[in-house]
Amino acid sequence: EAGVAQSPRYKIIEKRQSVAFWCNPISGHATLYWYQQILGQGPKLLIQFQNNGVVDDSQLPKDRFSAERLKGVDSTLKIQPAKLEDSAVYLCASSPTTGGGNTIYFGEGSWLTVV
Amino acid sequence: SQKIEQNSEALNIQEGKTATLTCNYTNYSPAYLQWYRQDPGRGPVFLLLIRENEKEKRKERLKVTFDTTLKQSLFHITASQPADSATYLCALDDYGQNFVFGPGTRLSVLP
């Protein structure tokens, strides 16, 4: 079974520029997550979708970050304008459903450096 | 506020020994606790899940304990190998709400 696909793998941008990351979850997985992982820290949830509806976006900096999941499959995370502190790995993940005890399957991540 | 701590940022052990990693939490009542492994430059990979009413779970050389009174989970790797070197993350799962990861412990198994 194909895993979670993410692109691009690496991106370097200047502050105040914009960037977009794309994610294709495992086929059939209803729940999709975007996490931010800063070097040396654990992943922090930015947004969680169930199909194409938002379940939790309480930690998403909505003044600069946006995410959508059209048709309940692929998702895009956008940052505009980027700040230096946005330098991190952006991990997309999926699970079969929402609810306790689900295994979360992660992609390889998109590495963002803001200079 | 919720807080998750994992013992020391880094742990070095000798090959063949048992590695014990600790996950402590406060202000949280997870229904499940999960452990993930993360290699450099890769996404986390699921290892084990333990439910709040389970005391212990095993999978091959891995063992997890869960003490909801102490608010602590221990993760053991027996007969450790250099290939076990990675960062290990604990994650608290409250029925799919508030799924929170700890900061991770970087394990190095020395040959």
Side-chain angles (χ1 to χ4, degrees):
Chain A
E1 142 182 288
V4 177
Q6 291 188 245
S7 68
R9 276 287 270 148
Y10 305 95
K11 192 76 175 179
I12 301 174
I13 62 172
E14 294 183 350
K15 59 184 179 183
R16 291 187 292 273
Q17 286 188 325
S18 64
V19 63
F21 301 114
W22 172 83
C23 173
N24 182 237
I26 292 173
S27 177
H29 280 194
T31 306
L32 185 147
Y33 312 80
W34 282 102
Y35 285 86
Q36 180 193 59
Q37 187 173 25
I38 293 171
L39 192 64
Q41 298 182 17
K44 182 183 89 171
L45 179 68
L46 293 176
I47 189 166
Q48 178 181 342
F49 292 96
Q50 173 76 4
N51 297 310
N52 59 350
V54 175
V55 174
D56 183 357
D57 64 356
S58 57
Q59 298 192 89
L60 186 74
K62 298 180 184 66
D63 58 334
R64 298 183 301 106
F65 286 64
S66 65
E68 60 181 7
R69 189 182 185 196
L70 298 177
K71 301 181 181 179
V73 182
D74 293 8
S75 178
T76 303
L77 176 71
K78 295 180 181 177
I79 307 174
Q80 181 179 15
K83 293 185 175 181
L84 295 177
E85 60 259 36
D86 298 332
S87 295
V89 180
Y90 290 87
L91 294 163
C92 180
S94 68
S95 65
T97 63
T98 294
N102 274 301
T103 298
I104 295 181
Y105 298 85
F106 285 86
E108 300 288 51
S110 293
W111 292 65
L112 174 64
T113 301
V114 182
V115 298
Chain B
S1 61
Q2 298 165 351
K3 189 174 181 181
I4 306 171
E5 293 178 330
Q6 293 190 239
N7 62 322
S8 63
E9 286 187 16
L11 181 65
N12 297 327
I13 64 165
Q14 211 65 37
E15 182 177 6
K17 302 292 186 183
T18 296
T20 299
L21 284 64
T22 305
C23 176
N24 293 293
Y25 59 92
T26 56
N27 298 322
Y28 204 105
S29 297
Y32 307 88
L33 191 145
Q34 303 190 22
W35 284 88
Y36 288 75
R37 168 182 173 144
Q38 187 172 26
D39 290 289
R42 311 293 295 272
V45 175
F46 171 78
L47 294 174
L48 278 170
L49 175 150
I50 187 165
R51 293 173 172 76
E52 60 179 339
N53 60 352
E54 295 178 317
K55 296 294 185 185
E56 182 179 297
K57 201 80 167 281
R58 291 175 185 261
K59 179 182 176 183
E60 298 173 351
R61 295 184 296 111
L62 308 180
K63 184 178 85 171
V64 173
T65 63
F66 191 12
D67 189 325
T68 55
T69 301
L70 292 179
K71 295 186 180 295
Q72 180 182 78
S73 174
L74 299 179
F75 177 79
H76 307 272
I77 306 175
T78 57
S80 60
Q81 305 165 0
D84 295 325
S85 298
T87 295
Y88 291 86
L89 301 159
C90 69
L92 307 184
D93 176 2
D94 183 13
Y95 295 104
Q97 312 288 327
N98 296 316
F99 195 100
V100 182
F101 280 89
T105 295
R106 190 173 65 251
L107 174 68
S108 296
V109 181
L110 308 173

